[in-house]
Amino acid sequence: MFRTALRNVLAHKGRLLMTTLAVMLGTAFVAGTLVFTDTLGSALRSQNSKSYTDIAVTVSDREAVGRGYDHGGKARTGPTLTEDTRKAVAALPGVAEARGVVSGFAGIADKKGALIGDGFSTTGTNYVPGADGTDPRYPLVEGRGPKSATEIALDAKTAEKGGYKVGDTVRVAVNGPVMKLKLTGTLRTNDPRVQAGGSLAAFDSATAQQLYLTPGRFGELDVKATPGTDDTALLTAVKQAVPQADTIEARTGRDLADEQDRMIQQGTKGMSTALLVFAGIALFVGIFIIANTFTMLVAQRTKELALLRAIGASRKQITRSVKIEAALVGLTASVAGLVAGIGIAAGLQSLLNGPLEANLPDGPLVIAPSTVIAALAVGVLVTLVAAWLPARRASRIAPVAAMSSSEQPATQKSLVVRNSIGLVFALAGAGALAAGAAGKEVKLVGAGAGALLIGVFVLTPLLSRPLIALFAPLLRGLYGTAGRLAKENAIRNPRRTAATASALTIGVTLITALTVVGASVNKAVDKATASDLKADFTVTMQNYSMLSPEVGAQIAKAPGVAALSVERTVPVTLGAGGDDADTEWLTSVDGATIDRLATIEVKEGAADALKQGKLLVSSGTADRTRYKVGDTLAVTYPDGATGSLTVGGVLESNTALAGIVAPESVVGPHAAPGTGPNKVLVKGTDGPTEKLKQAVRDATGGNPLIAVKGEKDIKAENRQIVTGILNMMYGLLGMSVVIAVLGVVNTMAMSVFERRREIGMLRAIGLDRLGIRRMVRLESLLIALFGGLVGVVLGVVVAWAGLRTLADTFKGITTEVPPVQILGFLLAAAVVGLVAALWPAYKAARMDILGAIKSD
């Protein structure tokens, strides 16, 4: 039977080609994902180890963030890392060097004033020269390091991007007005943020301390050991020399490197898992193609299999023969897929570091044994699973079937069982979807969507006849005999049509669902932005850190500003009625002007509660915390002061004012000195004019890190985020669509081969070659449109249920079905059907009439 299986594979190479390609593409996706993520992880770990090569011990001050305050604005009350601490550590036995480090964000503007890099990777640090005047951590490319508050050094790539040369004046900003500094040198760095496309600005230590912390203070001490010194022993000594505080922590460089390695591993594992989900979708689509191919092959070899049974082959042997055939196909395709996957990983690495300028760390391709085993195992197992049912059917062919050349039809019992199972799954899935949507349960919606998809797939043969029949009048009217024959051919074997269409349905379902969700989220966010925000412009840092404390006053002086409110978010401790206190985030605004800058609608209480010095609590927060109008809450402010606040109203859902909102006049005096607002809301006397926007920019000193956004800018930014996610998803789903196209090609090609005699007879009685080609193309078109139509309907239903679970996240979200895009998907399905039929139609039209009639 092994020889029989091998002979069948070799005899049907052409008919198995598309199946092999489908398995190969799915396996290539899996192998490429594993090789790429392994390679990226290895390169990142290698880069990470270089960052800690010379660091034996690191001492960090966790509260040394943003002028000596953490992100919530709590004042620094404990001991800090000072120059005296650094000198004490440097004097310890076994210490070769103790380096004080200061770091934060620093935006570099190009010569047009635009920010170089993105806000989150614009790094500022201190340059620490040694006895020779150079800093070994940042080797110089040209010039020298900065020595005063008027000088700066940049990494070489940033200087090149900005068109700067040594001696030029560089515009730099932290969170306030732009500083104009002289570029004294360019340098190299292995900082991963800079390697990934960010920027590095190096100041002298005193300037960096003034910008990021307070004079004489460091955020970190990096200790280099003398040769032969034990890191653990040195760590013990360093811990005794530094201030003892919960916020100051000392660790070995090796521990930090190991922690970073674990984070890198988790990150690449998460990326790998996400990509493998889409690879799984592609392989799932491939299962339909494989099953369809082997079903057709078994049907075409009815005589052969029946004769084998007649001469003594058992059912197990027949089943084994088909499985061996499938295993050979799967193994061949998996090997090819593994090779293709390695090529994909190499190409992706070159693409990201080339035209896309992702600046990922370089490293050799990592082809782990587990990757090879996984790729081969997945390809073979998927093929075997898909071929199991056809193999089982093959074993049931009776010897008497050798006397007939016709395909064995499905029994009435099997059809009833199949439709009953499909109906149960579909009803259960629909019920779970409805229940999940009503209860906003994401897991229930997911389970319901899966059950509904399975039910519809099982019922697809039943659905194919009536849905395809809808197109019959149009086909007969436009194409006459060819159209009628195409319709009859499409519904002749509903199972085959269903299997072919289902592969396309999966991709269309997912793409439609994503599109509907994206359109709905965009519409909801746009609507909320327009209704909740009255301000003409919102001023924030691009990295969402705090603005300079002076920014609000500077903007207030800008010409054309009618009203403004600074908005800061700080952590406070709240308690009510003797209950245990809880830490909550408090957002403060100007109670006198906020009603001109944001929509204030209350469910309970007073709309002017802020003007009365009271709190407004959003409805979602009120539901979570059980705070009610009239509650008096004990509060501990960031500076340690205590007091009490009264809940004056419960806000309707509002994207501009979320959580717990308090008057700035109450919170501001207790904010830690030097901390600024998170944003500033601005209203102009003449509305959102470009003149006002430029005036606000000028008032903030033209800081490239500060963004001035109007309603259109905010909407465009939100849409860009959603569109970027959708485009990435579309790209990842593209493989499953390609495999579905191969499935249509395979089915049509094998169908043409199966109907050689029928096509020969049609040619003999007068149907010309154009009619044959048209018949095959229209049949493929019908199958593709059927799959696309079912996919669109399923996608909209699944998206509707999923959107119901987002009702609390996105105010007023409704299901938006973009008609142009949906029609585009159906048109794309039609194009897929027509393109997939080109080769089969050509082969059918070129068939020799007499040879076809004589064929078995």
Side-chain angles (χ1 to χ4, degrees):
M1 297 310 293
F2 177 81
R3 288 196 300 270
T4 301
L6 182 60
R7 178 183 59 79
N8 285 329
V9 171
L10 296 175
H12 302 129
K13 294 188 295 293
R15 278 175 272 176
L16 288 169
L17 176 61
M18 297 302 170
T19 298
T20 304
L21 284 174
V23 179
M24 185 196 77
L25 289 175
T27 306
F29 203 152
V30 172
T33 294
L34 295 175
V35 172
F36 176 72
T37 52
D38 286 349
T39 299
L40 178 60
S42 175
L44 288 172
R45 287 190 295 273
S46 176
Q47 184 183 71
N48 178 56
S49 66
K50 292 178 182 177
S51 301
Y52 293 96
T53 300
D54 295 329
I55 299 177
V57 174
T58 291
V59 185
S60 58
D61 183 351
R62 292 198 301 272
E63 286 191 357
V65 180
R67 293 183 176 270
Y69 305 94
D70 66 15
H71 290 292
K74 287 186 177 179
R76 182 70 176 90
T77 57
T80 62
L81 300 177
T82 64
E83 177 63 17
D84 289 340
T85 307
R86 189 197 69 78
K87 289 179 178 178
V89 172
L92 292 173
V95 174
E97 178 189 359
R99 176 192 180 95
V101 179
V102 184
S103 62
F105 291 110
I108 312 298
D110 62 19
K111 292 186 176 180
K112 295 181 179 179
L115 179 68
I116 299 176
D118 65 79
F120 291 97
S121 57
T122 52
T123 307
T125 190
N126 59 321
Y127 188 85
V128 185
D132 61 352
T134 64
D135 187 340
R137 176 169 289 190
Y138 303 113
L140 288 168
V141 176
E142 187 180 2
R144 61 171 177 81
K147 296 180 179 179
S148 69
T150 61
E151 297 178 341
I152 191 174
L154 299 178
D155 68 280
K157 287 185 178 179
T158 297
E160 183 181 353
K161 289 177 183 177
Y164 292 119
K165 296 180 180 179
V166 173
D168 287 350
T169 298
V170 180
R171 300 177 71 247
V172 188
V174 179
N175 64 346
V178 168
M179 301 174 288
K180 295 181 179 180
L181 306 177
K182 180 181 178 181
L183 181 63
T184 61
T186 58
L187 44 82
R188 291 193 301 272
T189 177
N190 59 4
D191 189 319
R193 291 169 296 181
V194 181
Q195 294 291 330
S199 62
L200 177 68
F203 307 93
D204 69 286
S205 291
T207 302
Q209 289 172 336
Q210 182 66 39
L211 290 172
Y212 298 119
L213 299 172
T214 52
R217 183 181 175 195
F218 298 107
E220 182 179 298
L221 297 179
D222 290 341
V223 182
K224 182 179 180 180
T226 57
T229 301
D230 180 69
D231 289 356
T232 304
L234 183 59
L235 175 64
T236 302
V238 168
K239 284 182 176 180
Q240 295 174 351
V242 300
Q244 302 302 302
D246 293 339
T247 57
I248 294 179
E249 181 183 32
R251 301 175 65 182
T252 65
R254 184 66 265 164
D255 286 344
L256 287 172
D258 291 343
E259 182 179 316
Q260 290 293 320
D261 284 349
R262 287 192 294 271
M263 293 175 63
I264 290 169
Q265 186 175 5
Q266 290 175 357
T268 54
K269 184 179 179 181
M271 179 193 298
S272 178
T273 301
L275 292 174
L276 287 175
V277 168
F278 290 93
I281 293 171
L283 287 167
F284 184 63
V285 172
I287 286 176
F288 288 91
I289 298 171
I290 299 164
N292 211 20
T293 301
F294 278 93
T295 297
M296 296 177 73
L297 284 174
V298 168
Q300 292 170 12
R301 284 157 41 198
T302 299
K303 274 190 174 183
E304 175 189 334
L305 295 173
L307 286 172
L308 286 173
R309 293 278 285 116
I311 61 175
S314 66
R315 285 186 174 181
K316 286 185 178 180
Q317 287 179 308
I318 297 295
T319 302
R320 192 180 304 131
S321 173
V322 177
K323 286 182 177 179
I324 291 172
E325 189 175 341
L328 292 173
V329 172
L331 182 60
T332 302
S334 298
V335 171
L338 175 61
V339 174
I342 295 171
I344 289 173
L348 186 59
Q349 187 182 32
S350 299
L351 178 66
L352 289 173
N353 283 333
L356 297 183
E357 297 183 350
N359 298 306
L360 298 177
D362 291 326
L365 284 178
V366 178
I367 307 171
S370 58
T371 298
V372 177
I373 294 171
L376 297 180
V378 165
V380 173
L381 286 175
V382 165
T383 311
L384 284 173
V385 168
W388 174 79
L389 194 57
R392 185 170 175 271
R393 288 176 184 164
S395 69
R396 293 176 176 272
I397 295 177
V400 72
M403 301 175 63
S404 171
S405 61
S406 62
E407 183 179 337
Q408 302 299 301
T411 64
Q412 187 66 28
K413 179 181 177 182
S414 68
L415 292 174
V416 170
V417 170
R418 175 176 180 140
N419 292 336
S420 298
I421 293 173
L423 189 61
V424 169
F425 269 97
L427 291 176
L433 271 181
K440 300 176 184 178
E441 293 288 339
V442 177
K443 292 182 179 179
L444 189 56
V445 167
L452 179 61
L453 289 174
I454 292 172
V456 171
F457 289 154
V458 176
L459 288 173
T460 304
L462 182 65
L463 299 173
S464 63
R465 288 181 179 274
L467 290 179
I468 289 178
L470 292 175
F471 300 98
L474 179 63
L475 292 179
R476 283 198 301 268
L478 292 177
Y479 301 107
T481 301
R484 187 171 63 254
L485 289 171
K487 177 254 183 181
E488 294 298 330
N489 288 335
I491 64 175
R492 176 190 298 182
N493 192 326
R495 285 186 172 181
R496 180 187 304 167
T497 298
T500 306
S502 293
L504 190 60
T505 296
I506 296 170
V508 175
T509 297
L510 295 173
I511 289 173
T512 300
L514 287 172
T515 302
V516 172
V517 168
S520 302
V521 169
N522 276 333
K523 183 71 176 290
V525 173
D526 285 354
K527 186 178 178 181
T529 301
S531 63
D532 294 345
L533 191 65
K534 293 181 181 179
D536 294 325
F537 294 105
T538 300
V539 183
T540 62
M541 294 287 286
Q542 291 200 41
N543 51 31
Y544 298 102
S545 61
M546 292 179 184
L547 291 159
S548 170
E550 300 82 20
V551 165
Q554 291 168 344
I555 295 174
K557 297 176 183 178
V561 173
L564 66 77
S565 172
V566 297
E567 182 178 308
R568 74 175 80 233
T569 302
V570 296
V572 296
T573 303
L574 294 176
D579 294 335
D580 290 338
D582 296 318
T583 298
E584 296 283 351
W585 290 95
L586 193 67
T587 299
S588 66
V589 296
D590 188 337
T593 60
I594 191 61
D595 57 348
R596 299 177 62 187
L597 300 162
T599 302
I600 307 292
E601 293 181 2
V602 295
K603 296 175 66 175
E604 303 174 46
D608 62 348
L610 294 173
K611 293 181 180 179
Q612 301 172 22
K614 298 180 180 180
L615 298 176
L616 284 177
V617 181
S618 68
S619 56
T621 302
D623 292 339
R624 176 177 59 82
T625 60
R626 305 299 181 188
Y627 294 158
K628 302 184 296 297
V629 174
D631 284 349
T632 298
L633 310 176
V635 57
T636 302
Y637 294 103
D639 64 350
T642 60
S644 63
L645 291 172
T646 302
V647 177
V650 176
L651 273 171
E652 293 282 3
S653 179
N654 190 305
T655 56
L657 298 173
I660 303 173
V661 187
E664 171 66 11
S665 59
V666 174
V667 177
H670 300 293
T675 58
N678 299 86
K679 67 174 65 172
V680 179
L681 304 179
V682 181
K683 186 77 173 178
T685 54
D686 299 321
T689 62
E690 282 299 318
K691 184 178 180 181
L692 175 62
K693 191 173 186 178
Q694 188 58 49
V696 173
R697 283 202 186 104
D698 293 341
T700 59
N703 188 331
L705 271 176
I706 293 179
V708 181
K709 303 174 186 176
E711 181 181 319
K712 289 183 180 179
D713 300 319
I714 295 172
K715 288 180 177 179
E717 187 179 79
N718 291 330
R719 285 183 174 273
Q720 186 177 16
I721 294 171
V722 174
T723 301
I725 294 172
L726 288 178
N727 288 339
M728 181 180 68
M729 295 292 189
Y730 291 155
L732 293 172
L733 288 171
M735 186 69 77
S736 62
V737 175
V738 171
I739 292 175
V741 173
L742 294 177
V744 179
V745 174
N746 203 30
T747 298
M748 296 310 303
M750 295 187 70
S751 178
V752 165
F753 179 84
E754 189 178 75
R755 303 201 306 261
R756 295 190 310 280
R757 178 177 293 179
E758 176 187 320
I759 293 172
M761 292 296 295
L762 288 172
R763 288 293 315 282
I765 62 176
L767 190 62
D768 59 11
R769 287 182 173 177
L770 177 61
I772 295 294
R773 285 199 298 269
R774 183 173 292 165
M775 177 188 72
V776 175
R777 287 199 297 264
L778 290 176
E779 180 183 350
S780 178
L781 174 65
L782 283 172
I783 293 173
L785 279 175
F786 169 58
L789 184 61
V790 173
V792 163
V793 173
L794 283 174
V796 171
V797 171
V798 171
W800 166 82
L803 288 167
R804 294 302 88 213
T805 66
L806 299 176
D808 292 337
T809 305
F810 297 97
K811 176 184 175 182
I813 192 167
T814 56
T815 304
E816 297 292 328
V817 181
V820 174
Q821 288 172 280
I822 296 301
L823 289 174
F825 295 152
L826 290 175
L827 179 61
V831 171
V832 164
L834 291 174
V835 171
L838 289 176
W839 180 63
Y842 172 80
K843 296 293 289 183
R846 303 297 298 177
M847 196 176 293
D848 178 70
I849 297 176
L850 293 179
I853 294 174
K854 290 194 303 180
S855 64
D856 292 330

